[in-house]
Amino acid sequence: MWEDDESEVAYYDVDQVCLNGHVINDRYNESPQNNKKHCPECGELTITQCINCHADIPGYYNSTKVAALYTEPAPSYCHNCGKPYPWTENKLKAAKELIELQEQWQKLGKEEQASIEKSLADITKDTPQATVGATRLNKLLVKIGSGAGDALKQIFVDVASETAKKVLLG
């Protein structure tokens, strides 16, 4: 907790998120009646802390000066240790597996395959490389064509930072 101007006490509650990234309760401490051990959407276990460093996942921002009208999506990376949360890792793994199922993947050289794998990680972070990674993945989607390309694009958008989404969606 900290004090804002005019001695207002403001703090983040804790987010409860399932291992697939569905936000269960962004007010874990304030509204414990909404906590769930398993996700009602997918059945996965829920967590409130980073599995690597055990820092709380930041939830609702409690402040008299700010009112949230919706629940923020689960963050992709831990604010404390910088490692990806399980849902980020799961989405990246699913995207990689789907890419590897494509005929075109086998025709690519090792260097191009490595470049695409790096692009997957790049699009999840809001950095200058997100634009480069998204552009590279868009070129792959053109090679793959519709159908599988559409499924891949949806996975890319689900895991992508806002910067990368703009490039992926055009």
Side-chain angles (χ1 to χ4, degrees):
M1 291 206 268
W2 64 89
E3 291 188 20
D4 282 324
D5 296 335
E6 301 171 18
S7 298
E8 178 200 17
V9 176
Y11 63 97
Y12 284 97
D13 204 317
V14 176
D15 231 355
Q16 183 182 41
V17 185
C18 85
L19 296 177
N20 283 320
H22 300 120
V23 176
I24 307 304
N25 185 5
D26 65 350
R27 299 173 193 194
Y28 181 80
N29 294 322
E30 186 180 306
S31 300
Q33 71 276 12
N34 296 326
N35 296 342
K36 295 176 176 47
K37 186 174 181 176
H38 292 273
C39 178
E41 289 186 52
C42 68
E44 278 290 348
L45 285 171
T46 62
I47 61 172
T48 58
Q49 297 179 329
C50 173
I51 61 172
N52 296 297
C53 72
H54 307 291
D56 286 341
I57 302 168
Y60 180 78
Y61 178 66
N62 285 288
S63 169
T64 57
K65 294 182 179 181
V66 177
L69 301 175
Y70 66 96
T71 300
E72 292 282 334
S76 297
Y77 292 86
C78 176
H79 71 282
N80 191 55
C81 69
K83 296 200 175 179
Y85 284 114
W87 47 90
T88 304
E89 289 177 333
N90 290 344
K91 288 176 184 176
L92 288 171
K93 182 180 175 190
K96 186 175 183 292
E97 287 178 15
L98 194 53
I99 288 171
E100 289 174 353
L101 288 173
Q102 306 309 308
E103 260 182 58
Q104 292 81 351
W105 179 256
Q106 304 307 322
K107 296 175 186 174
L108 300 176
K110 296 281 186 207
E111 196 173 293
E112 195 172 6
Q113 288 177 350
S115 175
I116 289 168
E117 288 178 16
K118 181 182 180 317
S119 295
L120 282 173
D122 288 342
I123 67 169
T124 66
K125 301 174 183 177
D126 203 1
T127 67
Q129 284 303 112
T131 301
V132 176
T135 301
R136 194 176 292 126
L137 292 174
N138 267 340
K139 287 183 179 183
L140 172 69
L141 291 172
V142 169
K143 285 183 184 180
I144 290 174
S146 62
D150 292 341
L152 274 172
K153 185 177 224 169
Q154 185 56 53
I155 290 175
F156 295 164
V157 169
D158 283 350
V159 74
S161 68
E162 291 305 312
T163 300
K165 283 180 187 176
K166 290 175 186 173
V167 175
L168 289 166
L169 296 173

